[in-house]
Amino acid sequence: METWLKRLLLTVALSALSLIANAADTQTRSVLDKIITPNLERRDPVSPNIDTEDFELGFYAGIINVEDFGSNTVTGLRLAYHISEDFFAEANYAQSTLQETSFERLSGSTQLLSDEQRELNYYNLSLGYNLLPGEIFIGKDWSFNSAIYLLAGVGNTNFADDDYFTYNAGIGLRLLATDWLALHFDVRSHIYEHELLGEAQTVFNLESHAGVTFFF
Amino acid sequence: MGISLDSLSPIAHKKRVFLLLASLFCAVVTTPLQAADTAPRTTTYTATATATATATATLSQADEPLQQPQLDQAQPITRADDDYYSVTVDDAYIELHTGPGRGYPIFHVVERGELIHLHKRRTNWIKLSDRWHKNSGWARRSDLNHTLGLDGAPLRFTDTGRDDYLTHHWESGVALGDFKGAESLTLNLGYRMTRNLSSEVRISQSTGQFSDNTLINAALVHQPFPHWRVSPFFMLGVGLINTQAHATLVQTEDTSDTAMLLGAGAYLYLGRRFVMRFEYNNHLILTSRKENEEINEWKLGLNVFY
C-alpha cells in the first residue's frame, strides 16, 4: 500500500532535485563562460588593393624582309600583358607595303600583284619568356633594368587578297628607361606557306624593329 | 600627406600613451555601466535565453577591447591614397630589388618597425619606398605578408592561386585548333557569372586550302564541377561565320551564315593564373544552300584569369 506512495514521493523528489541541479549547472556555466571566453576582437587581415601595372602598350617601326618582295619598312602596335615575372603574352598588329619582285623589275611592264595586293598586314599572339633579366650600364652614372626575352606565337598574315596562317618566333631586348617606359629591340621570323608563285613554298620573313612601350 | 604621417614617427611610444589614456577612460566609463549591468545579470539566470544574450551583448559592449577604437580615431587606417599605402614592417627585414624580378639585384633593406609606402604592383612584385621616399625598390609580394597597417591590422598579400580562379570574373586566352582540316586561331574572352556559369565571346580565324573563315561566337559555358582540377564543361552558342573563298577559285563567292555551336571540353588548372582548355566544337552552319553544313573542330588553348 505504502510502496506506491513512497515511489511517487521519491520520483517527485528526484525530478525536483535534478531540476535544481540543472539550474545550478547553467548558472555556473554562464559564470564560467564570462571568465573563459576572451573578449578579444577578431582581426581579419586586410588585402590592400594596390594599383597594378601589368599591361604594356606601344608601337614599333622597323624593316621586314618578305621573301621575293624585298625589304620593306614596317610599323606596328604592341600590347603585352605580364602574367608573371617570367611570362608575358603579347599581341602585335603591323602593316607594310611590298616592293616589286626582281622578275617584275627585269621584265618591265609585267605586274604580279596590284598596288592594293601589295599592302601586307599581320597580327599575332605570342607567349614570351624573360630569359635574361638584369641591368645594363651606360656610361658611369646610368644603369637600366633590362630583359632579353624569347617569343613564339601564332597569327595571320594578309596580303595578295589572302590570309596565311603564320607562326612567329623571335628574340628581343626590353630596356626600361623608367618604371613605366620601355624601349624594345626585336628580331622576329614570320613563317608561313603560300602558293603565290605557282607552287607551295614555306617562307621565313625576318623582321627587325625598335619600339617604345608604356606600362599601365 | 606624407608630413602628417611622418609626425607619427614614435608609433610605439604613442601607442603606449594612448593605451594608458584609453584604459583610464574605459575604467571610468565602464564602472557605472557594469554596476547597472549586474542587476539584469542576476535575473537572467532564471530568465529566458534571449534575455541572457542581450545581457551578454551589453556586457561585451562595455568591456570592448580597450585600445582599438581609440587608436582608430587617432590614426588613419591603412591609407588608400591616390599614390600609396603606408604600412610598417613587422618582419626582420624586407629586401628591395632594383626591378620587379628575381634577376634584379638587391640594393637596400627595410627593417622591422620601419614605415614604408607601397606604390604599385607588377605581376607578383610591389614597388615600395622607405619613410622618406628616398630609396625605392621592388619587393616580392609574399615578402610583405609580415606588415601591419597603420591601425595595427595585419596585411595579407597572397599570390594568385587556384582559389582565385573561381572568384576572379574575367578570363581570356588563345586556342589553336583544327577546323575541318584548316588551322584555326581563336581568341576568347569570358566572364564568370556564377561558380558554374560563364558567358563567352570568341572570334576565330581559320585559313584552309580553299577558303578562309572568320567565326564570331557568343556562348554560355557550364561547368558542373568547377572546383575539380580537371573540370569538364559544356557550351551552347550562336554566331556568324564568314567564308571567303581563295582568289584562285573563280566560281565561289564570299558568304556569311548563321552558325550554331555545341561544345564540350575540359579545363585543366595549370598553376598561378593559367588554365589549359581542351575542347571539341560542333558547328552547324545554316547555309542558304539546300543542306546545312556541319563542321567539327578540336581545340587546345591557354587561358589567363584575372
Side-chain angles (χ1 to χ4, degrees):
Chain A
M1 251 292 268
E2 283 170 356
T3 42
W4 70 267
L5 193 70
K6 250 182 207 164
R7 214 178 284 161
L8 186 75
L9 275 171
L10 271 173
T11 344
V12 170
L14 262 176
S15 49
L17 258 175
S18 68
L19 267 176
I20 291 163
N22 233 343
D25 190 35
T26 47
Q27 188 174 333
T28 44
R29 225 188 300 146
S30 59
V31 170
L32 275 177
D33 273 351
K34 283 196 194 72
I35 298 165
I36 293 165
T37 315
N39 197 8
L40 287 176
E41 192 194 354
R42 189 189 155 86
R43 311 195 105 183
D44 288 322
V46 187
S47 301
N49 190 17
I50 299 171
D51 179 35
T52 56
E53 269 189 14
D54 289 340
F55 285 96
E56 199 184 347
L57 180 69
F59 53 87
Y60 59 85
I63 305 279
I64 185 167
N65 168 26
V66 182
E67 203 166 310
D68 296 317
F69 294 93
S71 297
N72 314 287
T73 53
V74 61
T75 50
L77 293 172
R78 176 203 309 268
L79 175 70
Y81 173 67
H82 291 261
I83 302 158
S84 69
E85 66 177 275
D86 296 316
F87 288 98
F88 61 95
E90 189 175 298
N92 294 111
Y93 174 82
Q95 281 182 326
S96 177
T97 307
L98 306 181
Q99 293 173 18
E100 292 181 327
T101 59
S102 42
F103 167 73
E104 284 168 303
R105 242 177 282 152
L106 290 172
S107 68
S109 55
T110 320
Q111 291 283 310
L112 288 174
L113 298 177
S114 67
D115 281 353
E116 206 178 287
Q117 288 175 321
R118 277 178 210 282
E119 295 296 323
L120 176 144
N121 63 65
Y122 70 76
Y123 73 80
N124 57 49
L125 298 155
S126 317
L127 190 68
Y129 178 71
N130 294 318
L131 184 70
L132 303 169
E135 288 190 341
I136 287 177
F137 300 92
I138 298 172
K140 211 172 65 180
D141 300 324
W142 299 86
S143 72
F144 297 100
N145 286 333
S146 69
I148 289 174
Y149 51 83
L150 296 177
L151 272 171
V154 290
N156 190 64
T157 305
N158 179 290
F159 79 105
D161 286 338
D162 265 331
D163 288 320
Y164 302 98
F165 187 86
T166 309
Y167 294 93
N168 79 83
I171 187 166
L173 168 71
R174 182 192 309 114
L175 194 152
L176 285 121
T178 69
D179 275 332
W180 50 270
L181 178 74
L183 304 176
H184 287 258
F185 304 96
D186 273 50
V187 179
R188 302 262 190 117
S189 180
H190 303 268
I191 305 147
Y192 58 89
E193 197 184 274
H194 74 72
E195 291 175 34
L196 217 61
L197 306 174
E199 54 189 82
Q201 62 170 348
T202 305
V203 295
F204 287 75
N205 294 336
L206 279 177
E207 174 188 343
S208 41
H209 67 237
V212 181
T213 55
F214 305 91
F215 279 90
F216 66 94
Chain B
M1 282 298 268
I3 303 156
S4 70
L5 273 167
D6 291 353
S7 65
L8 301 171
S9 50
I11 278 179
H13 174 70
K14 275 215 161 173
K15 229 182 210 171
R16 231 170 282 148
V17 174
F18 266 114
L19 274 173
L20 203 71
L21 280 174
S23 49
L24 265 173
F25 176 72
C26 281
V28 171
V29 168
T30 51
T31 11
L33 259 179
Q34 275 174 338
D37 246 5
T38 41
R41 227 187 297 158
T42 42
T43 53
T44 48
Y45 294 142
T46 47
T48 56
T50 47
T52 332
T54 48
T56 42
T58 46
L59 242 185
S60 66
Q61 263 172 19
D63 291 349
E64 196 66 36
L66 302 179
Q67 61 276 60
Q68 206 36 56
Q70 278 71 20
L71 263 184
D72 277 350
Q73 283 160 16
Q75 298 183 350
I77 303 178
T78 308
R79 276 256 306 295
D81 193 272
D82 286 345
D83 292 336
Y84 52 81
Y85 276 91
S86 300
V87 299
T88 41
V89 182
D90 194 31
D91 207 349
Y93 62 91
I94 294 172
E95 292 172 338
L96 298 193
H97 294 243
T98 60
R102 57 179 182 277
Y104 303 108
I106 298 159
F107 75 102
H108 192 67
V109 161
V110 286
E111 295 174 341
R112 189 192 297 278
E114 250 187 83
L115 184 75
I116 52 172
H117 312 297
L118 312 182
H119 296 269
K120 61 185 174 189
R121 180 164 74 81
R122 183 167 306 158
T123 65
N124 284 329
W125 291 75
I126 288 176
K127 189 182 184 188
L128 57 92
S129 61
D130 62 9
R131 174 197 293 269
W132 302 277
H133 295 278
K134 244 184 190 169
N135 293 299
S136 70
W138 298 81
R140 228 184 230 104
R141 186 147 59 139
S142 52
D143 285 352
L144 290 171
N145 271 330
H146 296 287
T147 51
L148 303 174
L150 292 182
D151 59 344
L155 299 182
R156 187 180 50 185
F157 296 85
T158 45
D159 292 348
T160 318
R162 198 168 154 210
D163 299 337
D164 302 304
Y165 161 49
L166 293 174
T167 52
H168 283 51
H169 284 296
W170 294 95
E171 76 170 85
S172 64
V174 194
L176 270 180
D178 179 275
F179 186 87
K180 205 178 58 172
E183 288 150 320
S184 77
L185 179 64
T186 309
L187 202 67
N188 62 61
L189 177 70
Y191 181 78
R192 185 179 291 274
M193 298 181 289
T194 70
R195 277 173 72 88
N196 298 82
L197 207 63
S198 328
S199 58
E200 192 171 291
V201 181
R202 46 202 198 158
I203 178 160
S204 91
Q205 191 170 36
S206 55
T207 43
Q209 210 175 350
F210 306 111
S211 64
D212 301 335
N213 296 298
T214 310
L215 181 63
I216 300 168
N217 272 117
L220 272 179
V221 183
H222 181 251
Q223 273 176 276
F225 313 104
H227 49 281
W228 289 4
R229 192 181 175 97
V230 179
S231 156
F233 68 84
F234 305 96
M235 76 161 71
L236 214 59
V238 286
L240 206 66
I241 185 166
N242 195 351
T243 310
Q244 203 178 20
H246 277 195
T248 40
L249 302 171
V250 198
Q251 300 93 330
T252 51
E253 53 185 30
D254 297 359
T255 53
S256 190
D257 299 302
T258 309
M260 314 294 278
L261 166 70
L262 204 68
Y267 278 98
L268 168 65
Y269 177 77
L270 293 177
R272 298 207 172 194
R273 295 164 175 271
F274 300 97
V275 252
M276 201 164 85
R277 224 164 95 150
F278 175 71
E279 67 183 282
Y280 161 76
N281 287 347
N282 181 281
H283 302 277
L284 183 68
I285 297 161
L286 311 175
T287 60
S288 48
R289 283 171 275 139
K290 254 185 193 168
E291 283 173 358
N292 287 335
E293 197 181 345
E294 206 177 323
I295 295 174
N296 296 319
E297 184 182 20
W298 294 90
K299 272 195 255 197
L300 186 67
L302 188 72
N303 278 21
V304 176
F305 58 89
Y306 46 90

